Amino acid sequence: MTVGSIVAIYLLFFVASAFLLLPFGVKTDEEAGTPKVPGQADSAPHRFDLPRHLIKAAAMALLLFALYYANWTYGWVGIEDLDFYH
C-alpha cells in the first residue's frame, strides 16, 4: 500500500468519524440551564468545542484505519467472505 493510499483512506475514515461523532457529547441550552436565544432551535448545541471534536474524530479514524490496515495485511476478511448470496 502506498503512502498516498494510506493518507487517502485515513482521510476518508476521519471525515466519516467526524460526521458520526457529531451528535455525541453535545448539550442543548435546556440541558445546560441557560436561556435560549430568540429563534434558536431546541436541538441547537449550547457550546460546540471544535478542537476536542476533531481530536476525537482523529482518534476514532486512527483506530478504524489500524483495523483496516491489519485486515489488509493479514487478510482476515476477504471479498469471498462478503458474498452473502452464494
Side-chain angles (χ1 to χ4, degrees), residues 41-68:
D42 293 334
S43 61
H46 169 66
R47 195 181 117 246
F48 183 70
D49 190 8
L50 183 63
R52 184 174 180 195
H53 177 74
L54 293 178
I55 289 171
K56 287 180 184 179
M60 184 174 173
L62 185 63
L63 175 69
L64 292 173
F65 179 76
L67 288 171
Y68 172 81

Side-chain angles (χ1 to χ4, degrees), residues 1-65:
M1 185 177 293
T2 64
V3 175
S5 298
I6 290 172
V7 171
I9 294 169
Y10 174 79
L11 287 176
L12 287 172
F13 279 125
F14 178 78
V15 170
S17 298
F19 280 110
L20 288 173
L21 291 174
L22 274 175
F24 298 104
V26 178
K27 291 184 179 180
T28 62
D29 281 333
E30 182 179 343
E31 293 170 338
T34 58
K36 290 192 304 185
V37 175
Q40 178 180 354
D42 293 334
S43 61
H46 169 66
R47 195 181 117 246
F48 183 70
D49 190 8
L50 183 63
R52 184 174 180 195
H53 177 74
L54 293 178
I55 289 171
K56 287 180 184 179
M60 184 174 173
L62 185 63
L63 175 69
L64 292 173
F65 179 76

